[in-house]
Amino acid sequence: MNVSPKNEHIPRATIQRLTTYLQVLEAMHKEGVQVISSEPLSRACDVNASQVRKDLAYFGEFGVRGVGYYVSYLLEAIKVCLHANREWRAALVGVGNLGRALLNHREFRRRGFTIVAAFDCDPFKIGETAYGLEVYCTKTLVDKVPELDIEIGIITTPPERAQRAATQLVEAGIKGILNYSAARISVPDTVFVEYVDFFHQIYSLTFNISNRH
Amino acid sequence: MNVSPKNEHIPRATIQRLTTYLQVLEAMHKEGVQVISSEPLSRACDVNASQVRKDLAYFGEFGVRGVGYYVSYLLEAIKVCLHANREWRAALVGVGNLGRALLNHREFRRRGFTIVAAFDCDPFKIGETAYGLEVYCTKTLVDKVPELDIEIGIITTPPERAQRAATQLVEAGIKGILNYSAARISVPDTVFVEYVDFFHQIYSLTFNISNRH
């Protein structure tokens, strides 16, 4: 499969839309759809058809003229684009409600995104078991991250503990951080950070509802 | 306070960045920062300074030449822009792990985003209490939504139950839906939908880690 990003900057929004295409194509594949043209695909994704074609063109030629896209082929191609065709091993820091929800998230496991260890700094939580994982002390991150071959850190601590968690993850040699806490964190340029801020979507919604014409 | 969006389309990305500015300014305000210029603000937000100025310019003139921005004033202005300066009443459908995490989310309450009722279709959950709320049967949405003056529905069901939840919320007269389930939903054009898909950020991260140069 010839999937290679062209030698140009791929917009962040393209990566996000590819995730949507992946979700929609997975559902279509499950329903037995074998071929789809860009119009119905774009409608199902709430994206216009030329945008779909443009996004996919960053990675290669996936459509067949007069036919459309083969669902299973496009699905595999997008997985390759997103590096979603391999296992990613993650450590979760902060075993509260949200942390537990993520530990038990079916979609994470199904997509090869595996949380292999959970950490907390609360002595009452350390040593207990959460969804099959023993909760370790955050001080052991520095040993566990290399030992368990962990590349990604997930922060689900309260906001006031997010920076400490980030610093410990960085010291342990993590490559990227997914930050679910409601706090900005500061890390070296060599570590990638993605913020999952629920208010991005909440305020998009309240803005749209309020400015409805 | 003169905050009114100009008569032009405001990009979705601007709304998302305003949420980031809000978060950063709240932290600065808490630390006692009174005035900030666009350079350090933009650094703290990971956005370039001209983008910050452009985003804010959609709503009005908030900077003072030679001074910068007054933190508390800008904070209020952004809240007005995002309609975050009022209470929003929401119904949550799907009292699983993620649903419980949201019911107990301190940031939601602090920002005036109040989940006033929780719903589930599981007879074992209906009638129990989750973080102070009685869990109602989803069939009662049609009565509870108008009765409790609910404008927003939050879907935290498994993917296979998301469409039914959406349909019930729409029938109950909801204005917007925040969909945390891993499924696309279809609703009339009059109802706004925002997807909170954790894989948007996960795949941005795995893409960046894999394409590091």
Side-chain angles (χ1 to χ4, degrees):
Chain A
M1 184 172 286
N2 183 17
V3 176
S4 52
K6 291 178 193 167
N7 200 9
E8 54 181 310
H9 174 73
I10 294 167
R12 189 184 158 73
T14 291
I15 300 302
Q16 300 208 342
R17 282 189 297 266
L18 284 178
T19 308
T20 303
Y21 306 157
L22 180 64
Q23 193 183 57
V24 167
L25 288 164
E26 278 178 341
M28 287 175 170
H29 185 64
K30 218 169 153 184
E31 287 164 15
V33 179
Q34 294 192 323
V35 178
I36 185 133
S37 59
S38 55
E39 290 294 338
L41 175 60
S42 71
R43 266 199 307 277
C45 297
D46 265 327
V47 173
N48 70 59
S50 70
Q51 186 68 65
V52 172
R53 287 188 290 267
K54 202 175 149 195
D55 287 335
L56 295 175
Y58 279 109
F59 297 91
E61 291 290 338
F62 305 113
V64 179
R65 193 174 294 273
V67 176
Y69 300 101
Y70 289 102
V71 171
S72 62
Y73 180 80
L74 185 55
L75 202 49
E76 279 315 301
I78 292 179
K79 283 186 190 166
V80 173
C81 299
L82 294 172
H83 302 273
N85 56 338
R86 49 158 283 199
E87 191 197 23
W88 287 90
R89 294 166 68 81
L92 182 135
V93 185
V95 186
N97 279 298
L98 182 59
R100 283 174 208 272
L102 299 186
L103 286 173
N104 192 38
H105 202 304
R106 274 192 298 177
E107 288 299 300
F108 277 21
R109 278 170 293 181
R110 194 176 64 74
R111 294 235 181 136
F113 191 77
T114 318
I115 301 173
V116 295
F119 298 84
D120 207 290
C121 62
D122 178 349
F124 289 100
K125 287 183 183 167
I126 295 165
E128 74 170 22
T129 301
Y131 297 105
L133 293 180
E134 183 184 337
V135 179
Y136 298 122
C137 173
T138 46
K139 286 183 183 158
T140 66
L141 271 165
V142 68
D143 298 320
K144 295 286 181 192
V145 165
E147 186 185 315
L148 298 172
D149 210 10
I150 293 168
E151 292 177 277
I152 291 177
I154 304 175
I155 298 180
T156 46
T157 63
E160 59 276 17
R161 295 204 203 118
Q163 182 59 56
R164 192 174 59 183
T167 304
Q168 287 172 318
L169 283 164
V170 169
E171 283 169 4
I174 220 78
K175 291 179 183 168
I177 292 177
L178 209 52
N179 180 12
Y180 284 83
S181 82
R184 304 297 291 181
I185 54 175
S186 139
V187 299
D189 283 349
T190 49
V191 175
F192 295 100
V193 178
E194 286 289 328
Y195 290 86
V196 184
D197 182 347
F198 296 159
F199 284 93
H200 280 169
Q201 284 86 14
I202 289 177
Y203 289 145
S204 287
L205 198 59
T206 58
F207 180 83
N208 282 327
I209 292 174
S210 305
N211 293 283
R212 183 201 299 271
H213 294 296
Chain B
M1 184 173 285
N2 184 16
V3 177
S4 52
K6 291 177 192 165
N7 200 9
E8 55 182 310
H9 175 71
I10 295 167
R12 191 185 156 73
T14 291
I15 301 301
Q16 300 208 342
R17 281 188 297 266
L18 284 178
T19 308
T20 304
Y21 306 156
L22 181 64
Q23 193 183 58
V24 167
L25 288 164
E26 278 178 341
M28 287 176 171
H29 185 64
K30 219 169 153 184
E31 287 164 16
V33 179
Q34 295 193 322
V35 178
I36 186 133
S37 59
S38 56
E39 288 295 339
L41 174 60
S42 71
R43 266 199 307 278
C45 298
D46 265 326
V47 174
N48 70 59
S50 70
Q51 186 68 67
V52 172
R53 285 188 291 267
K54 202 176 148 194
D55 287 335
L56 295 176
Y58 280 110
F59 297 92
E61 290 290 337
F62 305 113
V64 178
R65 193 175 293 274
V67 177
Y69 300 102
Y70 289 101
V71 171
S72 62
Y73 181 80
L74 185 56
L75 203 47
E76 280 315 301
I78 291 177
K79 283 186 191 167
V80 173
C81 299
L82 294 172
H83 302 272
N85 57 338
R86 49 157 284 198
E87 191 197 24
W88 287 90
R89 295 166 69 81
L92 182 137
V93 184
V95 187
N97 279 298
L98 183 60
R100 282 172 209 273
L102 299 186
L103 286 174
N104 192 38
H105 202 304
R106 274 191 300 176
E107 288 299 300
F108 276 24
R109 278 170 295 180
R110 195 176 65 73
R111 294 234 180 136
F113 191 78
T114 317
I115 302 173
V116 296
F119 298 83
D120 207 290
C121 62
D122 178 348
F124 289 101
K125 287 183 183 166
I126 294 165
E128 75 169 23
T129 302
Y131 296 104
L133 293 180
E134 183 184 338
V135 178
Y136 297 123
C137 173
T138 46
K139 286 183 184 158
T140 66
L141 271 165
V142 68
D143 299 318
K144 296 286 182 191
V145 164
E147 187 185 314
L148 298 171
D149 210 11
I150 292 168
E151 293 176 277
I152 291 176
I154 304 175
I155 298 180
T156 46
T157 63
E160 60 273 18
R161 294 204 204 118
Q163 182 59 56
R164 192 174 60 183
T167 304
Q168 287 171 318
L169 283 164
V170 168
E171 283 170 2
I174 221 77
K175 291 178 183 168
I177 292 176
L178 210 52
N179 180 12
Y180 284 83
S181 81
R184 305 297 291 182
I185 54 175
S186 139
V187 299
D189 284 347
T190 50
V191 174
F192 295 99
V193 178
E194 286 289 329
Y195 290 87
V196 185
D197 181 347
F198 296 158
F199 283 93
H200 281 171
Q201 284 85 15
I202 290 176
Y203 289 145
S204 287
L205 198 59
T206 57
F207 180 82
N208 282 325
I209 292 174
S210 306
N211 292 283
R212 183 200 300 270
H213 294 297

